[in-house]
Amino acid sequence: MMANYRQRNFIVAGILFFLTGLTHATSLTHAAEPSDWRQTAYSIAAGQIGAVNAYRIEDDLIWRRIDDSRFAAFKGMQRPTDASDWSVKFFYRSDVFPRYGSASLSQDYSSMQLGYEAGRVWNWRGGTMRQGLFYLSGSSNAYLSSYDSGGISYGGASSAMKKYGAAWYTSWEGADSHRIEGVFRVTSLRNHLSYTDEAGQSRSEAYRTWMPALGLRWYQTKFAADSFFWEPQVGVSFGYMNLPSVGSTAVYTPKNQTLLTGKAGLMAGKTYRIRGNQGLAYGRFEVQRDFTGPLYGEGKNVQSGDSASVSLGSGPSSWYNMTVGTSFTMGQGNTIWGELTRRFGSDMKQTWSVTGGLVLRWGGAKKEDREEFKKLKEDERSLKHDKDANKEAKK
């Protein structure tokens, strides 16, 4: 009797052990099942957002560079004139987007621009045209947190970028301080992109591409009493990004690679002085429109051949920028400046954006002054006057 009882308990324990092991094995098998390959494609696409935003930051800083030339030339708020000299300019900017469409982005950007401004002056259609050429280099780091888009959870991504290029600009100033400015630039971008695959493993790839862009802007400077000024501004920028396919087991290929943005706003400010050095305090409000739309492309599973559309980012959308800033001269045309910008509207909710820079200028006399001095040297009467003056000084 006792033996039968023990035998029955042994059999029950064996059955329970088998079922427990089967359940445990089933759980392990389920956990080891491969995740959705689209998670990899979305993570790669998220990493490409950093390159797109770097283009927009560079576009803003190009215009800021031209503004530096005008601000440095303000003398008691007279009409600004561009100095013909060399300059080197340093910029830094930090962006944080808690929500950038269907992604979460933080990015920094630093840049150096070296160039010669107002190299030639032309009188055209009752106005004056000035030109300049400059070299630019910069670096940017973008970090995108893990997120969920369309029910697909994807891992984080990052971009470490280096940029080199050149730009040519021209400005035309007509009657009543009307100005039209154009900038054409070509930039080489090297992007070391890190992303997360569907298994949670970190992968990375590097590529190089070219980014041409054209920008146009109109504004009119109006002066008021007590050194105040204000400017209505309208601008548009068009660029092209040849972003390549990225990935190994799953590949993401961008489709829309053109970028079109427009902005309209009002800028106002006032000069001030501290111990003989002049500064400029200003504010700017603008409406900005991104006509491009989100970063759109196609994800493809290399093994199965399955494909799916992938859309990340924000747009087409409109948002608003409110900026307060100051430029302060430190003698010889050298300037230090800083700005705080708040962006709101659409689905781009960000904290304050910080931008700052340093402008160093050198180059001596203007072309007109050098030509006038050359004429004086070739004038016999001027030379005779100098000799007579020297004789009188020796007596």
Side-chain angles (χ1 to χ4, degrees):
M1 181 76 176
M2 182 63 67
N4 292 337
Y5 179 79
R6 289 178 177 176
Q7 186 178 9
R8 187 167 58 250
N9 286 347
F10 179 81
I11 293 173
V12 172
I15 294 173
L16 291 175
F17 179 81
F18 175 79
L19 292 176
T20 303
L22 180 62
T23 304
H24 182 66
T26 303
S27 177
L28 287 177
T29 303
H30 178 72
E33 288 179 357
S35 302
D36 193 337
W37 64 268
R38 292 177 297 176
Q39 294 174 328
T40 304
Y42 269 85
S43 182
I44 297 173
Q48 297 282 40
I49 289 178
V52 176
N53 197 52
Y55 164 85
R56 292 176 178 146
I57 294 176
E58 183 181 88
D59 197 54
D60 289 342
L61 293 182
I62 290 293
W63 293 123
R64 171 67 228 201
R65 182 185 194 281
I66 299 175
D67 285 339
D68 281 332
S69 301
R70 299 190 295 120
F71 294 165
F74 277 17
K75 304 295 183 184
M77 291 308 296
Q78 298 173 359
R79 293 182 181 272
T81 57
D82 294 325
S84 298
D85 54 10
W86 290 87
S87 67
V88 59
K89 306 188 180 187
F90 303 92
F91 302 93
Y92 176 80
R93 174 165 161 175
S94 175
D95 279 352
V96 179
F97 293 88
R99 180 170 177 81
Y100 187 92
S102 51
S104 178
L105 168 69
S106 62
Q107 186 165 0
D108 61 76
Y109 185 98
S110 58
S111 174
M112 183 276 291
Q113 298 175 1
L114 172 66
Y116 186 76
E117 301 181 15
R120 301 186 65 179
V121 179
W122 296 339
N123 295 322
W124 183 70
R125 293 186 176 273
T128 303
M129 290 188 68
R130 295 178 172 85
Q131 292 78 37
L133 181 69
F134 55 92
Y135 164 82
L136 57 92
S137 67
S139 62
S140 180
N141 297 288
Y143 306 93
L144 291 104
S145 304
S146 56
Y147 222 85
D148 182 276
S149 179
I152 300 176
S153 299
Y154 59 89
S158 64
S159 294
M161 292 164 280
K162 297 287 186 181
K163 304 181 73 176
Y164 305 94
W168 174 81
Y169 87 91
T170 183
S171 66
W172 177 81
E173 181 179 3
D176 299 326
S177 294
H178 285 278
R179 284 206 178 197
I180 299 175
E181 295 176 340
V183 178
F184 176 74
R185 71 181 190 271
V186 178
T187 307
S188 173
L189 170 71
R190 179 173 175 79
N191 187 7
H192 185 88
L193 189 151
S194 298
Y195 61 95
T196 308
D197 64 15
E198 67 271 19
Q201 300 297 317
S202 178
R203 297 175 178 269
S204 63
E205 288 192 31
Y207 64 84
R208 185 184 297 275
T209 187
W210 291 91
M211 298 164 51
L214 175 66
L216 296 172
R217 182 173 68 164
W218 168 89
Y219 61 91
Q220 183 181 20
T221 306
K222 297 179 178 291
F223 297 94
D226 298 325
S227 299
F228 280 95
F229 81 99
W230 59 283
E231 287 182 358
Q233 301 179 352
V234 178
V236 64
S237 177
F238 175 79
Y240 177 79
M241 299 183 66
N242 185 23
L243 296 177
S245 300
V246 176
S248 54
T249 58
V251 177
Y252 171 73
T253 304
K255 294 298 183 182
N256 60 330
Q257 301 179 60
T258 57
L259 299 170
L260 179 62
T261 58
K263 61 178 66 177
L266 181 67
M267 182 176 182
K270 182 184 186 303
T271 59
Y272 61 89
R273 287 187 176 275
I274 299 179
R275 295 182 179 180
N277 292 323
Q278 181 171 287
L280 183 70
Y282 57 90
R284 182 171 58 244
F285 174 79
E286 62 186 11
V287 181
Q288 194 163 353
R289 174 72 176 176
D290 179 7
F291 298 96
T292 305
L295 187 65
Y296 172 77
E298 181 184 67
K300 185 175 182 179
N301 188 330
V302 175
Q303 184 175 3
S304 66
D306 295 338
S307 62
S309 61
V310 177
S311 178
L312 282 180
S314 179
S317 57
S318 299
W319 61 92
Y320 310 95
N321 296 325
M322 292 187 64
T323 300
V324 292
T326 183
S327 294
F328 186 73
T329 59
M330 301 178 294
Q332 304 300 321
N334 300 328
T335 307
I336 188 170
W337 62 275
E339 289 183 349
L340 290 176
T341 300
R342 176 69 176 179
R343 178 175 294 173
F344 59 95
S346 184
D347 58 355
M348 285 188 173
K349 301 176 182 178
Q350 76 163 39
T351 57
W352 283 97
S353 170
V354 181
T355 310
L358 175 67
V359 185
L360 303 176
R361 309 179 73 93
W362 71 95
K366 295 183 180 181
K367 181 180 179 181
E368 296 84 355
D369 296 334
R370 293 195 301 268
E371 291 179 349
E372 183 65 24
F373 183 69
K374 183 178 179 181
K375 292 178 181 179
L376 289 173
K377 289 180 65 177
E378 294 174 350
D379 190 338
E380 290 293 335
R381 293 172 299 175
S382 175
L383 293 174
K384 183 177 183 301
H385 173 77
D386 290 340
K387 294 176 180 178
D388 294 341
N390 291 333
K391 290 180 181 179
E392 292 294 330
K394 291 179 179 179
K395 293 179 180 180

